[in-house]
CSV table of all heavy atoms in Angstrom, one decimal:
chain,number,residue,atom,x,y,z
A,299,TYR,N,-64.8,161.9,73.1
A,299,TYR,CA,-65.4,162.8,72.0
A,299,TYR,C,-66.9,162.9,72.3
A,299,TYR,O,-67.6,162.0,72.8
A,299,TYR,CB,-65.3,162.1,70.6
A,299,TYR,CG,-63.9,162.1,70.1
A,299,TYR,CD1,-63.0,161.1,70.5
A,299,TYR,CD2,-63.5,163.1,69.2
A,299,TYR,CE1,-61.7,161.1,69.9
A,299,TYR,CE2,-62.2,163.1,68.7
A,299,TYR,CZ,-61.3,162.1,69.1
A,299,TYR,OH,-60.0,162.1,68.6
A,301,HIS,N,-70.5,163.1,70.7
A,301,HIS,CA,-71.2,162.8,69.5
A,301,HIS,C,-72.6,163.2,69.6
A,301,HIS,O,-73.2,162.9,70.8
A,301,HIS,CB,-71.0,161.3,69.2
A,301,HIS,CG,-69.8,161.0,68.6
A,301,HIS,ND1,-69.6,160.4,67.3
A,301,HIS,CD2,-68.5,161.0,69.0
A,301,HIS,CE1,-68.4,160.1,67.0
A,301,HIS,NE2,-67.6,160.5,68.1
A,303,TYR,N,-76.3,162.2,67.8
A,303,TYR,CA,-77.2,161.4,66.8
A,303,TYR,C,-78.6,161.9,66.9
A,303,TYR,O,-78.9,162.5,68.0
A,303,TYR,CB,-77.0,159.9,67.0
A,303,TYR,CG,-75.8,159.3,66.5
A,303,TYR,CD1,-74.5,159.5,67.2
A,303,TYR,CD2,-75.8,158.6,65.4
A,303,TYR,CE1,-73.4,158.9,66.7
A,303,TYR,CE2,-74.6,158.0,64.9
A,303,TYR,CZ,-73.5,158.1,65.6
A,303,TYR,OH,-72.3,157.6,65.1
A,305,GLN,N,-82.8,160.6,65.9
A,305,GLN,CA,-83.6,159.5,65.3
A,305,GLN,C,-84.9,160.1,64.9
A,305,GLN,O,-85.7,160.5,65.8
A,305,GLN,CB,-83.8,158.4,66.4
A,305,GLN,CG,-84.6,157.2,65.8
A,305,GLN,CD,-84.7,156.0,66.7
A,305,GLN,OE1,-84.5,156.2,67.9
A,305,GLN,NE2,-85.0,154.8,66.2
A,310,GLY,N,-83.8,154.6,61.7
A,310,GLY,CA,-82.7,154.4,62.5
A,310,GLY,C,-82.0,155.7,62.9
A,310,GLY,O,-82.2,156.7,62.3
A,311,PRO,N,-81.2,155.6,63.9
A,311,PRO,CA,-80.4,156.8,64.4
A,311,PRO,C,-79.6,157.3,63.2
A,311,PRO,O,-79.1,156.5,62.4
A,311,PRO,CB,-79.6,156.3,65.5
A,311,PRO,CG,-80.4,155.2,66.1
A,311,PRO,CD,-81.0,154.5,64.9
A,313,TYR,N,-76.3,160.0,62.4
A,313,TYR,CA,-75.2,160.9,62.9
A,313,TYR,C,-75.5,162.3,62.5
A,313,TYR,O,-75.9,162.7,61.4
A,313,TYR,CB,-73.9,160.4,62.3
A,313,TYR,CG,-72.7,161.4,62.5
A,313,TYR,CD1,-72.0,161.4,63.7
A,313,TYR,CD2,-72.4,162.3,61.5
A,313,TYR,CE1,-70.9,162.2,63.9
A,313,TYR,CE2,-71.3,163.1,61.6
A,313,TYR,CZ,-70.6,163.1,62.9
A,313,TYR,OH,-69.6,164.0,63.0
A,316,HIS,N,-69.9,165.7,65.6
A,316,HIS,CA,-69.1,165.3,66.9
A,316,HIS,C,-68.0,166.3,67.0
A,316,HIS,O,-67.6,167.0,66.1
A,316,HIS,CB,-68.6,163.9,66.8
A,316,HIS,CG,-67.5,163.6,65.9
A,316,HIS,ND1,-67.6,163.3,64.6
A,316,HIS,CD2,-66.1,163.7,66.1
A,316,HIS,CE1,-66.4,163.2,64.1
A,316,HIS,NE2,-65.5,163.4,65.0
A,354,TYR,N,-79.8,162.6,70.6
A,354,TYR,CA,-79.0,161.9,71.6
A,354,TYR,C,-77.6,162.4,71.7
A,354,TYR,O,-76.9,162.6,70.6
A,354,TYR,CB,-78.8,160.5,71.2
A,354,TYR,CG,-80.1,159.7,71.2
A,354,TYR,CD1,-80.7,159.4,70.0
A,354,TYR,CD2,-80.7,159.1,72.4
A,354,TYR,CE1,-81.9,158.7,69.9
A,354,TYR,CE2,-81.9,158.4,72.3
A,354,TYR,CZ,-82.5,158.2,71.1
A,354,TYR,OH,-83.6,157.5,71.1
A,358,ARG,N,-68.0,159.2,73.4
A,358,ARG,CA,-67.3,158.1,72.9
A,358,ARG,C,-65.8,158.2,73.3
A,358,ARG,O,-65.2,159.2,73.0
A,358,ARG,CB,-67.4,158.0,71.4
A,358,ARG,CG,-68.8,157.6,71.0
A,358,ARG,CD,-68.9,157.3,69.5
A,358,ARG,NE,-68.3,156.1,69.2
A,358,ARG,CZ,-68.1,155.6,67.9
A,358,ARG,NH1,-68.3,156.4,66.9
A,358,ARG,NH2,-67.6,154.5,67.7
A,359,GLY,N,-65.2,157.2,73.8
A,359,GLY,CA,-63.8,157.2,74.2
A,359,GLY,C,-63.0,157.2,73.0
A,359,GLY,O,-63.4,156.9,71.9
A,360,GLU,N,-61.7,157.5,73.2
A,360,GLU,CA,-60.8,157.6,72.1
A,360,GLU,C,-60.8,156.3,71.2
A,360,GLU,O,-60.6,156.3,70.0
A,360,GLU,CB,-59.4,157.9,72.6
A,360,GLU,CG,-58.3,158.1,71.6
A,360,GLU,CD,-57.0,158.4,72.2
A,360,GLU,OE1,-56.8,158.3,73.4
A,360,GLU,OE2,-56.1,158.8,71.4
A,361,TYR,N,-60.9,155.2,72.0
A,361,TYR,CA,-61.0,153.9,71.3
A,361,TYR,C,-62.3,153.3,71.4
A,361,TYR,O,-62.5,152.1,71.3
A,361,TYR,CB,-59.9,153.0,71.9
A,361,TYR,CG,-58.5,153.5,71.8
A,361,TYR,CD1,-57.9,154.1,72.9
A,361,TYR,CD2,-57.9,153.5,70.5
A,361,TYR,CE1,-56.6,154.7,72.7
A,361,TYR,CE2,-56.7,154.1,70.4
A,361,TYR,CZ,-56.0,154.7,71.5
A,361,TYR,OH,-54.7,155.1,71.3
A,362,GLY,N,-63.4,154.1,71.6
A,362,GLY,CA,-64.7,153.6,71.8
A,362,GLY,C,-65.3,153.1,70.5
A,362,GLY,O,-65.1,153.7,69.4
A,363,ASN,N,-66.1,152.1,70.6
A,363,ASN,CA,-66.7,151.5,69.4
A,363,ASN,C,-68.3,151.6,69.6
A,363,ASN,O,-68.9,152.3,68.9
A,363,ASN,CB,-66.3,150.1,69.2
A,363,ASN,CG,-65.0,150.0,68.5
A,363,ASN,OD1,-64.9,150.4,67.3
A,363,ASN,ND2,-63.9,149.6,69.1
A,364,LYS,N,-68.8,150.9,70.6
A,364,LYS,CA,-70.3,150.9,70.8
A,364,LYS,C,-70.8,152.3,71.2
A,364,LYS,O,-70.1,153.1,71.8
A,364,LYS,CB,-70.7,149.9,71.8
A,364,LYS,CG,-70.2,150.2,73.2
A,364,LYS,CD,-70.6,149.0,74.2
A,364,LYS,CE,-70.1,149.3,75.6
A,364,LYS,NZ,-70.4,148.2,76.5
A,365,LEU,N,-72.0,152.6,70.8
A,365,LEU,CA,-72.7,153.8,71.2
A,365,LEU,C,-73.5,153.5,72.4
A,365,LEU,O,-74.2,152.5,72.4
A,365,LEU,CB,-73.5,154.4,70.0
A,365,LEU,CG,-72.7,154.8,68.8
A,365,LEU,CD1,-73.7,155.1,67.7
A,365,LEU,CD2,-71.9,156.1,69.1
B,319,TYR,N,-72.4,146.6,63.7
B,319,TYR,CA,-73.0,146.6,65.0
B,319,TYR,C,-74.4,146.3,65.0
B,319,TYR,O,-75.1,146.6,64.1
B,319,TYR,CB,-72.9,148.0,65.7
B,319,TYR,CG,-71.5,148.6,65.6
B,319,TYR,CD1,-71.0,149.3,64.4
B,319,TYR,CD2,-70.6,148.6,66.7
B,319,TYR,CE1,-69.7,149.8,64.3
B,319,TYR,CE2,-69.4,149.2,66.6
B,319,TYR,CZ,-68.9,149.7,65.5
B,319,TYR,OH,-67.7,150.4,65.5
B,321,TYR,N,-77.8,146.6,67.5
B,321,TYR,CA,-78.4,147.3,68.6
B,321,TYR,C,-79.9,146.9,68.7
B,321,TYR,O,-80.5,146.5,67.6
B,321,TYR,CB,-78.4,148.8,68.5
B,321,TYR,CG,-77.0,149.5,68.5
B,321,TYR,CD1,-76.3,149.6,67.4
B,321,TYR,CD2,-76.5,150.0,69.7
B,321,TYR,CE1,-75.0,150.1,67.4
B,321,TYR,CE2,-75.2,150.7,69.7
B,321,TYR,CZ,-74.5,150.7,68.6
B,321,TYR,OH,-73.3,151.3,68.5
B,323,ARG,N,-84.0,148.2,70.6
B,323,ARG,CA,-84.7,149.0,71.5
B,323,ARG,C,-86.0,148.1,71.8
B,323,ARG,O,-86.7,147.8,70.9
B,323,ARG,CB,-85.2,150.3,71.0
B,323,ARG,CG,-86.0,151.1,72.0
B,323,ARG,CD,-86.9,152.1,71.3
B,323,ARG,NE,-86.2,153.2,70.6
B,323,ARG,CZ,-85.8,154.2,71.1
B,323,ARG,NH1,-85.9,154.4,72.4
B,323,ARG,NH2,-85.1,155.1,70.4
B,328,GLU,N,-84.3,152.3,76.3
B,328,GLU,CA,-83.4,152.9,75.5
B,328,GLU,C,-82.8,152.0,74.5
B,328,GLU,O,-82.8,150.8,74.7
B,328,GLU,CB,-82.3,153.6,76.4
B,328,GLU,CG,-83.0,154.7,77.2
B,328,GLU,CD,-82.1,155.1,78.4
B,328,GLU,OE1,-80.9,154.6,78.5
B,328,GLU,OE2,-82.5,155.9,79.2
B,329,ILE,N,-82.2,152.6,73.5
B,329,ILE,CA,-81.5,151.8,72.5
B,329,ILE,C,-80.2,151.2,73.2
B,329,ILE,O,-79.4,151.9,73.8
B,329,ILE,CB,-81.0,152.6,71.3
B,329,ILE,CG1,-82.3,153.1,70.6
B,329,ILE,CG2,-80.2,151.8,70.3
B,329,ILE,CD1,-81.9,154.1,69.5
B,331,PHE,N,-76.8,148.5,72.9
B,331,PHE,CA,-75.8,147.8,72.1
B,331,PHE,C,-75.9,146.3,72.4
B,331,PHE,O,-76.1,145.8,73.5
B,331,PHE,CB,-74.4,148.3,72.5
B,331,PHE,CG,-73.3,147.4,72.1
B,331,PHE,CD1,-72.8,147.6,70.7
B,331,PHE,CD2,-72.7,146.5,72.9
B,331,PHE,CE1,-71.7,146.8,70.3
B,331,PHE,CE2,-71.6,145.8,72.5
B,331,PHE,CZ,-71.1,145.9,71.2
B,377,PHE,N,-81.7,147.3,65.3
B,377,PHE,CA,-80.9,148.1,64.4
B,377,PHE,C,-79.6,147.5,64.1
B,377,PHE,O,-78.9,147.0,65.0
B,377,PHE,CB,-80.7,149.5,65.0
B,377,PHE,CG,-82.0,150.3,65.2
B,377,PHE,CD1,-82.5,150.4,66.4
B,377,PHE,CD2,-82.7,150.9,64.1
B,377,PHE,CE1,-83.7,151.2,66.7
B,377,PHE,CE2,-83.9,151.6,64.3
B,377,PHE,CZ,-84.4,151.7,65.6
B,384,SER,N,-62.6,151.2,63.2
B,384,SER,CA,-62.9,150.9,64.6
B,384,SER,C,-61.6,151.4,65.4
B,384,SER,O,-60.7,151.9,64.9
B,384,SER,CB,-63.1,149.4,64.9
B,384,SER,OG,-61.9,148.7,64.6
B,385,GLY,N,-61.7,151.2,66.7
B,385,GLY,CA,-60.6,151.6,67.5
B,385,GLY,C,-60.4,153.1,67.7
B,385,GLY,O,-59.4,153.6,68.1
B,386,THR,N,-61.4,153.8,67.3
B,386,THR,CA,-61.4,155.3,67.5
B,386,THR,C,-62.8,155.8,67.7
B,386,THR,O,-63.7,155.4,67.1
B,386,THR,CB,-60.7,156.0,66.3
B,386,THR,OG1,-60.8,157.4,66.5
B,386,THR,CG2,-61.3,155.6,65.1
B,387,GLY,N,-62.8,156.9,68.5
B,387,GLY,CA,-64.2,157.5,68.8
B,387,GLY,C,-64.5,158.5,67.7
B,387,GLY,O,-65.5,159.2,67.8
B,388,LEU,N,-63.6,158.6,66.7
B,388,LEU,CA,-63.8,159.7,65.7
B,388,LEU,C,-64.9,159.4,64.8
B,388,LEU,O,-65.5,160.3,64.3
B,388,LEU,CB,-62.5,159.9,64.9
B,388,LEU,CG,-61.3,160.7,65.5
B,388,LEU,CD1,-60.2,160.6,64.7
B,388,LEU,CD2,-61.8,162.1,65.8
B,389,TYR,N,-65.2,158.2,64.4
B,389,TYR,CA,-66.0,158.0,63.2
B,389,TYR,C,-67.4,157.6,63.5
B,389,TYR,O,-67.7,156.9,64.5
B,389,TYR,CB,-65.3,156.8,62.4
B,389,TYR,CG,-64.0,157.3,61.8
B,389,TYR,CD1,-62.8,157.0,62.5
B,389,TYR,CD2,-63.9,158.1,60.7
B,389,TYR,CE1,-61.6,157.4,62.0
B,389,TYR,CE2,-62.7,158.6,60.2
B,389,TYR,CZ,-61.6,158.2,60.8
B,389,TYR,OH,-60.4,158.7,60.4
B,390,GLU,N,-68.3,158.1,62.7
B,390,GLU,CA,-69.7,157.8,62.9
B,390,GLU,C,-70.1,156.5,62.5
B,390,GLU,O,-69.4,155.8,61.7
B,390,GLU,CB,-70.6,158.9,62.2
B,390,GLU,CG,-70.4,158.8,60.7
B,390,GLU,CD,-69.5,159.8,60.1
B,390,GLU,OE1,-68.4,160.0,60.8
B,390,GLU,OE2,-69.8,160.4,59.1
B,391,GLN,N,-71.3,156.1,63.0
B,391,GLN,CA,-71.8,154.8,62.6
B,391,GLN,C,-73.0,155.2,61.8
B,391,GLN,O,-73.8,156.1,62.0
B,391,GLN,CB,-72.2,154.0,63.8
B,391,GLN,CG,-71.1,153.5,64.6
B,391,GLN,CD,-71.4,152.7,65.8
B,391,GLN,OE1,-72.6,152.3,66.0
B,391,GLN,NE2,-70.5,152.5,66.7
B,393,PHE,N,-76.6,153.9,60.4
B,393,PHE,CA,-77.7,152.9,60.9
B,393,PHE,C,-78.6,152.5,59.7
B,393,PHE,O,-78.9,153.3,58.8
B,393,PHE,CB,-78.5,153.5,62.0
B,393,PHE,CG,-77.8,153.5,63.4
B,393,PHE,CD1,-76.8,154.3,63.7
B,393,PHE,CD2,-78.1,152.5,64.2
B,393,PHE,CE1,-76.1,154.3,64.8
B,393,PHE,CE2,-77.5,152.5,65.5
B,393,PHE,CZ,-76.5,153.4,65.8
B,394,GLY,N,-79.1,151.3,59.8
B,394,GLY,CA,-80.2,150.9,59.0
B,394,GLY,C,-81.5,151.3,59.5
B,394,GLY,O,-81.5,151.9,60.7
Side-chain angles (χ1 to χ4, degrees):
Chain A
Y299 289 84
H301 282 242
Y303 281 74
Q305 186 176 18
Y313 168 80
H316 78 272
Y354 299 97
R358 294 188 74 189
E360 185 178 11
Y361 300 104
N363 279 293
K364 65 184 179 184
L365 295 172
Chain B
Y319 308 81
Y321 296 82
R323 182 204 295 275
E328 296 161 3
I329 298 172
F331 166 81
F377 296 104
S384 65
T386 171
L388 280 174
Y389 295 97
E390 62 264 38
Q391 294 181 12
F393 282 78

